[in-house]
Amino acid sequence: MFRPHPLLGLAAAALVATTVATAAPGLARTPAPEPEYTITVDPAAAGTPISDSMYGVFFEDINFAADGGLYAELVRNRSFEFGPADNRSYTPLTGWTPTADAGGAGTASTADDAARLHERNRTYLRLDLASTGDGRYGVTNAGFNNGIALRAGGAYDFSVWARTDAAAGTPLTVTLHDAAGQPLAAPLRRAVRGDGWTKYTGTLKATRTTDAGRLSVRAGGTGVLRLDMVSLFPRDTFRTRPNGLRRDLAEKIAALKPGFVRFPGGCLVNTGSMSGYDAASNWPRARSYQWKDTVGPVETRATNANFWGYNQSYGLGYRVRGSVKLTADLGC
């Protein structure tokens, strides 16, 4: 037989007593207090006008909202600048895997020395090549999330800064393929010549639609090949701007017709060192948002440790035209 807990029985009895006392006729009731104010609503009247400038959008580089998100760059860790200062699991080769084909051989490492591309872009990829015949050796990038997103028929602009100590030059082959190695575009071939940094470009046209592509950059021959700023951008960016935004995302934001954009955020604006990225401050990685680091050629921009636990490339930043007024957003 079910027996209720004694405390439950007392609670039930108190509830019944209260109900009976409340419902019993003739008992005195405390009158409701008079309200301190009243509100009168006129549904036909017009409300207070609200300026369009009061409605806007908020952006902060959190959960890969910039690199891997709104910023259209498809290569993760394109300048080999990832490191433990960004995330304990990161290395300069995060996002990259050494790879070879046709019997190619060599070693892949990163270096931060006087041969660097720029003093603010300090780490580069070093390939010590030892291939013969048609062999190629290099690295493969897996992009963000599942991989590199491609649309069949789309044009994708590739670029890389390179230098070689091979007197006859170094043949470079760039391919888009899936995880199984099946091609997603016709290969792009270039010859790197000279031991000074030079930018090499080309366009790859996707033959299939996928969100799991891979980009491989491989070289033949022997000698030391240095690479930096390995980039792949869809030609079809928002308003077709180079180094631009993903069209699909940016168009949805533009369709909101915001009166303002709160950029760059939030907490990452005022977190970390307030020093600039220079030798006097020992090239700090973890520092507050520095808008001046986001302008100029992308290969000269210093990366930053993102407050939310990853690297911030500063590829997405400000565009300065003439005299401008910038205001800091210090909200969290």
Side-chain angles (χ1 to χ4, degrees):
M1 176 182 297
F2 171 75
R3 296 181 184 277
H5 192 280
L7 292 179
L8 293 177
L10 290 174
L15 177 63
V16 171
T18 301
T19 304
V20 172
T22 303
L27 295 179
R29 292 185 174 87
T30 302
E34 290 294 325
E36 296 182 4
Y37 56 87
T38 60
I39 298 175
T40 302
V41 178
D42 182 357
T48 302
I50 299 176
S51 170
D52 290 342
S53 64
M54 294 293 290
Y55 175 85
V57 294
F58 171 91
F59 177 90
E60 182 171 4
D61 190 355
I62 181 172
N63 294 331
F64 300 94
D67 299 312
L70 187 61
Y71 187 46
E73 174 65 76
L74 296 171
V75 175
R76 186 181 180 214
N77 189 18
R78 64 183 178 184
S79 63
F80 308 97
E81 294 296 324
F82 281 28
D86 305 315
N87 186 296
R88 285 182 295 177
S89 67
Y90 283 2
T91 75
L93 282 175
T94 293
W96 297 93
T97 304
T99 181
D101 67 354
T107 59
S109 60
T110 57
D112 175 3
D113 57 29
R116 66 178 67 89
L117 174 60
H118 190 272
E119 66 175 8
R120 297 164 63 82
N121 184 355
R122 302 183 65 78
T123 307
Y124 62 87
L125 176 69
R126 174 178 171 137
L127 297 177
D128 288 87
L129 303 171
S131 298
T132 59
D134 294 330
R136 295 288 187 272
Y137 180 84
V139 289
T140 296
N141 190 271
F144 297 90
N145 300 318
N146 292 334
I148 294 173
L150 304 170
R151 188 177 298 276
Y156 296 85
D157 293 327
F158 170 84
S159 64
V160 63
W161 287 81
R163 58 187 293 183
T164 180
D165 67 0
T170 299
L172 197 67
T173 303
V174 182
T175 58
L176 281 171
H177 54 87
D178 60 21
Q182 295 302 306
L184 295 169
L188 177 68
R189 293 183 173 86
R190 294 290 183 268
V192 178
R193 299 189 185 279
D195 203 7
W197 287 105
T198 303
K199 187 177 182 179
Y200 298 86
T201 63
T203 301
L204 295 145
K205 189 170 183 179
T207 57
R208 285 192 284 142
T209 298
T210 181
D211 65 352
R214 303 288 188 268
L215 175 74
S216 288
V217 182
R218 302 185 182 103
T222 60
V224 177
L225 176 69
R226 294 175 171 88
L227 303 177
D228 207 347
M229 294 299 293
V230 184
S231 175
L232 186 71
F233 256 86
R235 179 79 56 81
D236 187 21
T237 59
F238 180 60
R239 297 181 179 175
T240 64
R241 289 175 176 165
N243 192 54
L245 308 179
R246 273 181 52 176
R247 184 172 64 83
D248 56 343
L249 295 179
E251 283 182 346
K252 290 177 174 61
I253 298 171
L256 296 173
K257 300 185 183 302
F260 65 89
V261 177
R262 185 182 178 187
F263 177 89
C267 291
L268 61 79
V269 176
N270 58 329
T271 302
S273 168
M274 297 298 173
S275 301
Y277 191 76
D278 54 40
S281 53
N282 198 31
W283 312 102
R285 177 62 65 86
R287 63 195 191 286
S288 62
Y289 190 90
Q290 306 282 331
W291 72 265
K292 292 181 181 179
D293 288 342
T294 74
V295 298
V298 290
E299 66 272 12
T300 68
R301 300 182 190 180
T303 63
N304 200 9
N306 187 292
F307 175 75
W308 303 109
Y310 54 95
N311 179 277
Q312 189 174 15
S313 77
Y314 278 162
L316 174 60
Y318 286 91
R319 172 179 291 188
V320 177
R321 288 182 175 177
S323 177
V324 297
K325 179 180 180 181
L326 298 174
T327 57
D329 173 8
L330 299 179
C332 239

